[in-house]
Amino acid sequence: MATKKALILIDVQNDYFEGGKFALWNTNTILENILKAIEKAKKENIIVIIVQHIANSSLGTAPFFNKDTKGAENHEQLIAAVPDAPIVIKEYADSFHQTNLESILSQNSINELLICGMMTQNCVTHTAISKAAEKYKVNVLIDCCTTVSEILHHIALHAISVRVNLVQSNQILS
């Protein structure tokens, strides 16, 4: 079977950037890397999927990603780069759990995932090692992920390194 890839962009949302409710480490550089990965993916006809976390309001107000807030919105540069990308709304760390992600992948005959985004130790890792991801070849684009600190980013990547491929975006996207 021919390889058919999807670039999955997880939680590249305003609350994680400077001025947001939970700014992460190195977000501007990571955003630049993600935008370059998007351009390369588009040239290779790789589907790009945006995953957006919206907090469950029935549990009360969350620290960030509350529905209908500027902070919960996807970063404007991300939307400008892929305005027609399908958007998967999630409320759990695992982007597959109770979402339509698997359906989108199936409809597009995807068998390889290129996962990146925010936060490395939470939504990126939980998606990459999800039970639902086991049927795919999974790659985490290490230069397109971030979290609260550089050390936590590296610890999280090391933790999943025995289960998925860790690659620089330029190693897998030409």
Side-chain angles (χ1 to χ4, degrees), residues 132-172:
E134 289 179 354
K135 65 183 173 185
Y136 304 98
K137 178 179 179 184
V138 177
N139 305 281
V140 172
L141 307 183
I142 61 175
D143 58 323
C144 296
C145 299
T146 192
T147 191
V148 294
S149 68
E150 184 176 11
I151 194 164
L152 187 55
H153 169 72
H154 290 293
I155 289 169
L157 291 174
H158 180 72
I160 63 169
S161 67
V162 296
R163 304 251 321 260
V164 302
N165 300 311
L166 303 180
V167 295
Q168 296 282 337
S169 58
N170 63 6
Q171 290 177 292
I172 203 153

Coordinates of all heavy atoms in Angstrom, one line a residue, residues 132-172:
A132 N -5.8 4.4 19.4 CA -6.3 4.6 18.1 C -5.2 4.9 17.1 O -5.4 4.7 15.9 CB -7.3 5.8 18.1
A133 N -4.1 5.4 17.5 CA -2.9 5.7 16.6 C -2.1 4.5 16.3 O -1.3 4.5 15.4 CB -2.1 6.8 17.2
E134 N -2.3 3.4 17.0 CA -1.5 2.2 16.8 C -1.5 1.6 15.4 O -0.6 1.0 14.9 CB -1.9 1.1 17.8 CG -1.5 1.5 19.2 CD -1.9 0.4 20.2 OE1 -2.6 -0.6 19.8 OE2 -1.5 0.6 21.4
K135 N -2.6 1.9 14.6 CA -2.6 1.3 13.2 C -1.9 2.2 12.2 O -1.8 1.9 11.0 CB -4.1 1.1 12.8 CG -4.9 2.4 12.7 CD -6.4 2.0 12.4 CE -7.3 3.1 12.4 NZ -8.7 2.7 12.2
Y136 N -1.4 3.3 12.6 CA -0.6 4.2 11.8 C 0.8 4.2 12.1 O 1.3 3.9 13.2 CB -1.1 5.7 12.0 CG -2.6 5.9 11.8 CD1 -3.5 5.9 12.9 CD2 -3.2 6.0 10.5 CE1 -4.8 6.0 12.7 CE2 -4.5 6.2 10.3 CZ -5.4 6.2 11.5 OH -6.7 6.3 11.3
K137 N 1.6 4.6 11.1 CA 3.0 4.9 11.3 C 3.0 6.3 11.9 O 2.5 7.2 11.3 CB 3.9 4.8 10.0 CG 5.3 5.2 10.3 CD 6.1 5.1 9.0 CE 7.6 5.5 9.3 NZ 8.4 5.5 8.1
V138 N 3.5 6.4 13.1 CA 3.5 7.7 13.8 C 4.8 8.4 13.9 O 5.8 7.8 14.3 CB 2.9 7.5 15.2 CG1 2.8 8.9 16.0 CG2 1.5 6.9 15.2
N139 N 4.9 9.6 13.5 CA 6.1 10.5 13.6 C 5.7 11.7 14.3 O 4.7 12.4 14.0 CB 6.6 10.9 12.2 CG 6.8 9.7 11.2 OD1 7.8 9.0 11.3 ND2 5.8 9.5 10.4
V140 N 6.6 12.1 15.3 CA 6.4 13.3 16.0 C 7.5 14.3 15.5 O 8.7 13.9 15.5 CB 6.5 13.2 17.5 CG1 6.5 14.5 18.2 CG2 5.4 12.3 18.0
L141 N 7.1 15.4 15.0 CA 8.0 16.4 14.4 C 8.6 17.2 15.6 O 7.9 18.2 16.1 CB 7.3 17.3 13.4 CG 6.6 16.6 12.3 CD1 6.0 17.6 11.3 CD2 7.5 15.6 11.6
I142 N 9.7 16.9 16.1 CA 10.3 17.4 17.3 C 10.6 18.9 17.3 O 10.5 19.6 18.3 CB 11.5 16.6 17.8 CG1 12.6 16.7 16.8 CG2 11.1 15.2 18.1 CD1 13.9 16.0 17.3
D143 N 10.8 19.4 16.1 CA 11.1 20.9 16.0 C 9.8 21.7 15.8 O 9.9 22.9 15.6 CB 12.1 21.1 14.8 CG 11.6 20.6 13.5 OD1 11.0 19.6 13.5 OD2 11.9 21.3 12.5
C144 N 8.7 21.0 15.8 CA 7.4 21.7 15.7 C 6.5 21.4 16.9 O 5.3 21.5 16.8 CB 6.7 21.2 14.4 SG 7.6 21.6 12.9
C145 N 7.1 21.2 18.0 CA 6.4 20.9 19.3 C 7.0 21.8 20.4 O 8.2 22.1 20.3 CB 6.5 19.5 19.7 SG 5.8 18.3 18.6
T146 N 6.2 22.1 21.4 CA 6.8 22.8 22.5 C 5.9 22.6 23.8 O 4.8 22.0 23.6 CB 6.9 24.3 22.3 OG1 7.7 24.9 23.4 CG2 5.6 25.0 22.2
T147 N 6.4 23.0 24.9 CA 5.6 22.9 26.1 C 6.1 24.0 27.1 O 6.7 25.0 26.6 CB 5.7 21.5 26.8 OG1 4.8 21.4 27.8 CG2 7.1 21.2 27.3
V148 N 5.9 23.9 28.4 CA 6.2 24.9 29.3 C 7.7 25.2 29.5 O 8.1 26.3 29.8 CB 5.6 24.7 30.7 CG1 4.1 24.7 30.6 CG2 6.1 23.4 31.3
S149 N 8.6 24.2 29.2 CA 10.0 24.4 29.3 C 10.7 23.5 28.4 O 10.2 22.5 27.9 CB 10.5 24.2 30.7 OG 10.4 22.8 31.1
E150 N 12.0 23.9 28.0 CA 12.8 23.1 27.1 C 13.0 21.7 27.8 O 12.9 20.6 27.1 CB 14.1 23.7 26.8 CG 14.9 23.0 25.9 CD 16.2 23.7 25.5 OE1 16.5 24.8 26.1 OE2 16.9 23.3 24.5
I151 N 13.3 21.6 29.0 CA 13.6 20.3 29.7 C 12.4 19.4 29.7 O 12.5 18.2 29.4 CB 14.2 20.5 31.1 CG1 14.8 19.2 31.5 CG2 13.2 21.0 32.1 CD1 15.8 19.3 32.7
L152 N 11.2 19.9 29.9 CA 10.0 19.1 29.9 C 9.7 18.6 28.5 O 9.3 17.5 28.3 CB 8.8 19.9 30.5 CG 7.6 19.0 30.7 CD1 7.8 17.8 31.5 CD2 6.5 19.9 31.3
H153 N 10.0 19.4 27.5 CA 9.8 19.1 26.1 C 10.7 17.8 25.8 O 10.3 16.8 25.3 CB 10.2 20.3 25.2 CG 10.4 20.0 23.8 ND1 9.3 19.7 23.0 CD2 11.5 19.9 23.0 CE1 9.7 19.5 21.7 NE2 11.0 19.6 21.7
H154 N 12.0 17.9 26.2 CA 12.9 16.8 25.9 C 12.6 15.6 26.7 O 12.7 14.4 26.2 CB 14.4 17.3 26.2 CG 14.8 18.2 25.2 ND1 15.0 17.9 23.8 CD2 15.1 19.5 25.3 CE1 15.4 19.0 23.2 NE2 15.5 20.0 24.0
I155 N 12.1 15.7 28.0 CA 11.7 14.6 28.8 C 10.6 13.8 28.1 O 10.5 12.6 28.0 CB 11.4 15.0 30.2 CG1 12.7 15.4 31.0 CG2 10.6 13.9 31.0 CD1 12.4 16.1 32.3
A156 N 9.6 14.6 27.7 CA 8.4 14.0 27.0 C 8.8 13.3 25.7 O 8.3 12.2 25.5 CB 7.4 15.1 26.7
L157 N 9.6 13.9 24.9 CA 10.1 13.2 23.7 C 10.8 11.9 24.0 O 10.6 10.9 23.3 CB 10.9 14.2 22.9 CG 10.2 15.4 22.3 CD1 11.2 16.3 21.6 CD2 9.1 14.9 21.3
H158 N 11.7 12.0 25.0 CA 12.4 10.8 25.4 C 11.4 9.7 25.8 O 11.6 8.5 25.4 CB 13.4 11.1 26.5 CG 14.2 9.8 26.9 ND1 15.2 9.3 26.1 CD2 14.1 9.1 28.0 CE1 15.6 8.2 26.7 NE2 15.0 8.1 27.8
A159 N 10.4 10.1 26.5 CA 9.5 9.1 27.0 C 8.7 8.3 25.9 O 8.4 7.2 26.1 CB 8.5 9.8 28.0
I160 N 8.4 9.0 24.8 CA 7.7 8.4 23.8 C 8.6 7.8 22.7 O 8.1 7.1 21.7 CB 6.6 9.3 23.1 CG1 7.3 10.5 22.5 CG2 5.6 9.7 24.1 CD1 6.3 11.3 21.6
S161 N 9.9 8.0 22.8 CA 10.8 7.6 21.8 C 10.9 6.1 21.5 O 11.3 5.6 20.4 CB 12.2 8.1 22.1 OG 12.8 7.4 23.2
V162 N 10.4 5.3 22.5 CA 10.4 3.8 22.3 C 9.1 3.4 21.5 O 9.0 2.2 21.1 CB 10.5 3.1 23.6 CG1 11.9 3.3 24.3 CG2 9.4 3.4 24.6
R163 N 8.1 4.3 21.3 CA 6.9 3.9 20.7 C 6.6 4.5 19.4 O 5.9 4.0 18.6 CB 5.7 4.3 21.7 CG 5.8 3.7 23.0 CD 4.8 2.6 23.4 NE 3.5 2.8 22.9 CZ 2.4 3.2 23.7 NH1 2.6 3.6 24.9 NH2 1.2 3.2 23.2
V164 N 7.2 5.7 19.1 CA 7.0 6.4 17.8 C 8.3 6.9 17.3 O 9.3 6.9 18.0 CB 6.0 7.6 18.0 CG1 4.7 7.1 18.6 CG2 6.6 8.7 18.9
N165 N 8.3 7.4 16.0 CA 9.5 7.9 15.4 C 9.6 9.4 15.8 O 8.6 10.2 15.7 CB 9.4 7.8 13.9 CG 9.3 6.4 13.5 OD1 10.1 5.6 13.9 ND2 8.4 6.1 12.6
L166 N 10.7 9.9 16.2 CA 11.0 11.3 16.5 C 11.8 11.8 15.4 O 12.9 11.3 15.2 CB 11.7 11.4 17.8 CG 11.0 10.9 19.1 CD1 11.8 11.1 20.3 CD2 9.6 11.4 19.2
V167 N 11.4 12.8 14.7 CA 12.1 13.3 13.5 C 12.0 14.8 13.4 O 11.1 15.5 13.9 CB 11.5 12.7 12.2 CG1 11.7 11.2 12.1 CG2 10.0 13.1 12.0
Q168 N 13.0 15.4 12.8 CA 13.0 16.8 12.5 C 12.0 17.0 11.3 O 12.0 16.1 10.4 CB 14.4 17.4 12.1 CG 15.4 17.3 13.2 CD 15.2 18.5 14.2 OE1 14.6 19.5 13.9 NE2 15.7 18.3 15.4
S169 N 11.3 18.0 11.2 CA 10.4 18.2 10.1 C 11.0 18.1 8.7 O 10.5 17.5 7.8 CB 9.6 19.5 10.2 OG 10.5 20.6 10.2
N170 N 12.3 18.6 8.6 CA 12.9 18.6 7.3 C 13.5 17.2 6.9 O 13.9 17.0 5.8 CB 14.0 19.6 7.2 CG 15.2 19.4 8.2 OD1 15.2 18.4 8.9 ND2 16.1 20.3 8.3
Q171 N 13.4 16.3 7.9 CA 13.8 14.9 7.6 C 12.7 14.1 6.9 O 12.9 13.2 6.2 CB 14.1 14.1 8.9 CG 15.4 14.6 9.5 CD 15.6 13.8 10.8 OE1 14.9 14.0 11.8 NE2 16.7 12.9 10.8
I172 N 11.4 14.6 7.1 CA 10.3 13.8 6.6 C 9.5 14.6 5.5 O 8.8 14.0 4.8 CB 9.4 13.4 7.8 CG1 8.6 12.2 7.4 CG2 8.6 14.5 8.3 CD1 8.2 11.3 8.5

